[in-house]
Amino acid sequence: QVQLVESGGGLVRPGGSLRLSCAASEFTPDFQNIGWFRQAPGREREGVSCIYRDGSTLYDGSVKGRFTISRDNARNTVDLQMNSVQPEDTAVYYCATDPTISCSDAYGTWGQGTQVTVSS
């Protein structure tokens, strides 16, 4: 079964940047539709951004204009560039295949998550 692996999390100061990557352990056509989700302590998991087979993207309103989702075909990853991060972006970030069209959830394979902490 294909596995997803997230990387790039860490500690970053408010206003800083971080780039997360999601890689698949093997080729899967499901990798064409990928979503990034996050879960902060005490909060429900929420959709952050999704990219679909046709190249369309969706962003949650809280990250629109600050985060960018993209494919890196050379590395076979789906990346989430996070700019101007804020303490409220602190969460465990997950990538998953088969996101819903609203990017609110995903029904495919989930990664193990990577911690992002925004703090001065």
Side-chain angles (χ1 to χ4, degrees):
Q1 182 179 355
V2 65
Q3 295 181 331
L4 300 183
V5 180
E6 302 96 337
S7 61
L11 176 63
V12 59
R13 295 184 184 278
S17 297
L18 209 58
R19 189 175 185 88
L20 306 183
S21 291
C22 174
S25 59
E26 60 189 67
F27 172 78
T28 172
D30 293 340
F31 204 63
Q32 295 299 307
N33 299 312
I34 293 289
W36 280 98
F37 303 83
R38 67 186 180 186
Q39 186 165 23
R43 298 189 62 177
E44 292 188 357
R45 188 176 61 202
E46 61 179 359
V48 176
S49 181
C50 292
I51 187 166
Y52 299 91
R53 187 183 309 271
D54 63 356
S56 61
T57 58
L58 281 178
Y59 296 92
D60 182 76
S62 66
V63 306
K64 201 167 187 178
R66 300 189 298 122
F67 291 8
T68 302
I69 192 170
S70 63
R71 297 186 194 281
D72 186 326
N73 292 325
R75 296 168 53 235
N76 198 29
T77 62
V78 172
D79 299 336
L80 185 69
Q81 178 67 41
M82 305 168 60
N83 297 331
S84 302
V85 296
Q86 300 300 319
E88 51 265 35
D89 295 320
T90 295
V92 178
Y93 283 71
Y94 302 88
C95 64
T97 62
D98 197 15
T100 62
I101 58 173
S102 63
C103 195
S104 60
D105 204 346
Y107 297 109
T109 301
W110 288 79
Q112 82 289 350
T114 186
Q115 176 70 48
V116 172
T117 303
V118 183
S119 175
S120 56

